[in-house]
């Protein structure tokens, strides 16, 4: 129970974590639904992401540390769907869509495939890049298989956290991948 209360205090203070569930997989295996049960995320409909910071691999720009202000003001949205049906969000429109730089997933489905992060890994990476490493660790701690995500990606995550623009992210990606 203390983790639940502590986590909510962190979210209320720093920004709210939202997710859109696309019903493309087994809801019992949804990492974001589990985070909701822990009080770490709130489900919203897809049409409510417009002014919020949201993650999409189709964005032209990367998430960088300075986006933390937008997170604090508007919240962060993770779209929870299947990589096999990723094209369903290709035309997702909103003014604050950002993509994550490449990282190595540790999830059982896409282990070791650069960039194919689970929703949980994407959320943790975004939080870490924006400077919320403790909250990223708290989020990751809810799944035993995810424990090594930050450890596996610690060097690129620390470097991505220092990036201030897209060209910085591209340079760092090139170094690691």
């Amino acid at each position: 129970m203390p983790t639940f209360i502590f986590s909510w205090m962190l979210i209320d203070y720093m920004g709210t974590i939202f997710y859109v569930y696309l019903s493309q997989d087994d809801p019992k295996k949804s990492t974001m639904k589990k985070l909701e049960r822990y009080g770490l995320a709130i489900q919203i409909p897809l049409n409510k992401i417009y002014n919020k910071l949201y993650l999409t691999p189709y964005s032209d720009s990367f998430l960088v540390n300075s986006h933390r202000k937008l997170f604090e003001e508007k919240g962060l949205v993770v779209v929870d769907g299947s990589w096999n049906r990723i094209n369903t969000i290709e035309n997702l429109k909103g003014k604050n869509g950002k993509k994550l730089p490449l990282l190595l997933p540790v999830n059982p489905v896409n282990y070791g495939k650069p960039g194919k992060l689970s929703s949980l890994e994407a959320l943790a990476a975004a939080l870490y890049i924006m400077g919320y490493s403790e909250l990223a660790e708290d989020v990751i701690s809810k799944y035993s298989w995810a424990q090594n995500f930050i450890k596996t990606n610690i060097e690129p995550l620390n470097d991505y956290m220092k990036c201030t623009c897209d060209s910085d992210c591209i340079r760092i990606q090139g170094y690691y991948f």
Side-chain angles (χ1 to χ4, degrees):
M1 193 69 166
T3 302
F4 177 83
I5 294 168
F6 180 68
S7 298
W8 261 118
M9 290 189 318
L10 281 174
I11 291 171
D12 287 343
Y13 177 72
M14 291 187 276
T16 304
I17 298 167
F18 300 100
Y19 74 100
V20 173
Y21 183 66
L22 299 179
S23 301
Q24 296 176 345
D25 57 5
D26 182 350
K28 292 177 185 168
K29 295 180 181 176
S30 168
T31 56
M32 296 307 295
K33 284 191 169 290
K34 184 172 184 176
L35 290 183
E36 182 177 32
R37 289 192 298 273
Y38 278 103
L40 290 166
I42 300 168
Q43 185 176 357
I44 61 171
L46 191 58
N47 65 354
K48 298 292 183 191
I49 71 162
Y50 179 74
N51 69 343
K52 294 173 179 28
L53 176 62
Y54 68 94
L55 301 177
T56 173
Y58 295 107
S59 178
D60 293 331
S61 60
F62 287 96
L63 179 81
V64 293
N65 188 280
S66 63
H67 291 119
R68 71 184 287 139
K69 289 183 182 186
L70 184 58
F71 168 53
E72 290 168 356
E73 293 170 10
K74 305 287 185 175
L76 172 67
V77 180
V78 176
V79 179
D80 189 359
S82 169
W83 275 105
N84 294 329
R85 297 174 64 191
I86 191 68
N87 61 336
T88 60
I89 66 162
E90 186 173 5
N91 296 319
L92 187 61
K93 298 293 181 215
K95 61 182 185 178
N96 299 311
K98 302 296 175 196
K99 65 182 171 184
L100 289 170
L102 287 178
L103 293 162
L104 286 177
V106 299
N107 70 74
V109 176
N110 290 307
Y111 184 87
K113 297 175 185 173
K116 284 202 161 188
L117 306 179
S118 69
S119 299
L120 177 74
E121 292 166 323
L123 172 60
L127 292 169
Y128 199 99
I129 289 168
M130 291 187 294
Y132 298 111
S133 58
E134 287 181 27
L135 185 54
E137 294 276 358
D138 191 30
V139 163
I140 276 298
S141 74
K142 306 308 179 214
Y143 279 86
S144 59
W145 60 259
Q147 300 300 308
N148 288 322
F149 175 72
I150 292 175
K151 290 176 191 166
T152 299
N153 292 286
I154 193 68
E155 290 180 19
L157 280 169
N158 283 331
D159 287 343
Y160 290 142
M161 190 170 32
K162 297 172 192 166
C163 293
T164 59
C165 61
D166 289 345
S167 59
D168 289 348
C169 289
I170 292 167
R171 181 178 48 78
I172 298 300
Q173 274 188 161
Y175 178 77
Y176 288 104
F177 299 97

